[in-house]
Amino acid sequence: MNKVQLFFHHLFRFIWNAIFIISYPILASFGLLFIGLTFVFSKLSQLLASIRPEGKKVVIKESEWETLPHSNELLEAKLCKQILFGPAGFKLRRKDGVPSVLSDFVFGNKIRVIEEGFILEKWNTLDSKSMPDFDICLYNPDEDSLRSLTQIKSFDWHVSEKAENELSFKWFDGAQGGEVKVAL
């Protein structure tokens, strides 16, 4: 390199380093601010979700027959079908040995306990290509009855509101969402 090229090389390197040194704290602060805001909104979302609970949430693990929490020692679950990168299907039975309508179906692991009974995902198929295809049902343990409330084609659903004789379900399938109201 000749002296003119060497001079411009050092000048541009000095300018580049100066720009980097001046802008680095701004970029780092923006990154920390973004992470902080994400954390704050996450905690705020968790707080708001806990204000309006949708009943007691039950999560079933893989094992042999396992007693369901929040069921007053009434129901047991056993893993029946595990979909790769997806949910698991379970067989349910009454722990007291009484024959039940539950033994004929496969249910998802989302179970909500409300005053009227248990809200269950009754799978309509075990074929992973046809999933999600299930009915949201209400199981009344006193009468041993299973009543279909609505059909939802999304694994992401929750009870959003419970009025006197009405339940609202919200769902989202990744592209669109909706709300379904059903009478109890």
Side-chain angles (χ1 to χ4, degrees):
M1 276 195 212
N2 63 22
K3 289 187 178 192
V4 175
Q5 289 175 330
L6 191 61
F7 172 75
F8 283 115
H9 173 73
H10 288 293
L11 178 68
F12 286 125
R13 189 173 67 181
F14 175 77
I15 292 171
W16 178 255
N17 287 339
I19 290 172
F20 180 75
I21 290 170
I22 292 170
S23 66
Y24 184 77
I26 296 168
L27 293 174
S29 299
F30 176 74
L32 291 175
L33 181 67
F34 180 74
I35 292 170
L37 283 175
T38 304
F39 179 77
V40 167
F41 281 116
S42 172
K43 291 301 177 187
L44 182 63
S45 175
Q46 288 175 356
L47 176 70
L48 291 175
S50 68
I51 290 174
R52 181 186 258 172
E54 59 176 86
K56 297 174 188 148
K57 191 174 186 178
V58 176
V59 177
I60 306 168
K61 301 174 189 135
E62 293 182 32
S63 71
E64 289 300 313
W65 289 102
E66 177 182 334
T67 303
L68 284 176
H70 310 297
S71 70
N72 294 332
E73 301 290 321
L74 180 67
L75 298 177
E76 292 180 313
K78 181 180 179 182
L79 182 67
C80 171
K81 170 85 172 176
Q82 176 69 49
I83 296 176
L84 188 62
F85 304 114
F90 293 87
K91 286 286 203 180
L92 297 179
R93 71 178 181 187
R94 291 179 66 113
K95 196 170 180 182
D96 56 9
V98 175
S100 174
V101 296
L102 296 176
S103 60
D104 297 333
F105 305 106
V106 175
F107 299 93
N109 61 350
K110 271 190 168 181
I111 299 173
R112 301 291 183 265
V113 181
I114 60 174
E115 297 166 6
E116 292 81 6
F118 299 91
I119 297 177
L120 307 169
E121 289 180 357
K122 181 179 69 102
W123 288 12
N124 295 324
T125 180
L126 292 178
D127 182 21
S128 57
K129 293 178 183 175
S130 301
M131 294 298 271
D133 180 16
F134 55 85
D135 293 335
I136 303 293
C137 297
L138 177 66
Y139 174 67
N140 185 344
D142 297 332
E143 299 173 3
D144 192 42
S145 63
L146 189 66
R147 184 169 61 108
S148 180
L149 299 175
T150 185
Q151 185 177 29
I152 294 180
K153 291 198 176 267
S154 171
F155 289 117
D156 186 17
W157 64 271
H158 65 275
V159 178
S160 63
E161 188 176 347
K162 181 179 183 287
E164 289 187 24
N165 285 333
E166 189 175 75
L167 280 176
S168 293
F169 296 100
K170 287 192 178 180
W171 57 272
F172 183 71
D173 65 1
Q176 61 183 352
E179 184 172 3
V180 178
K181 291 188 181 200
V182 295
L184 289 175

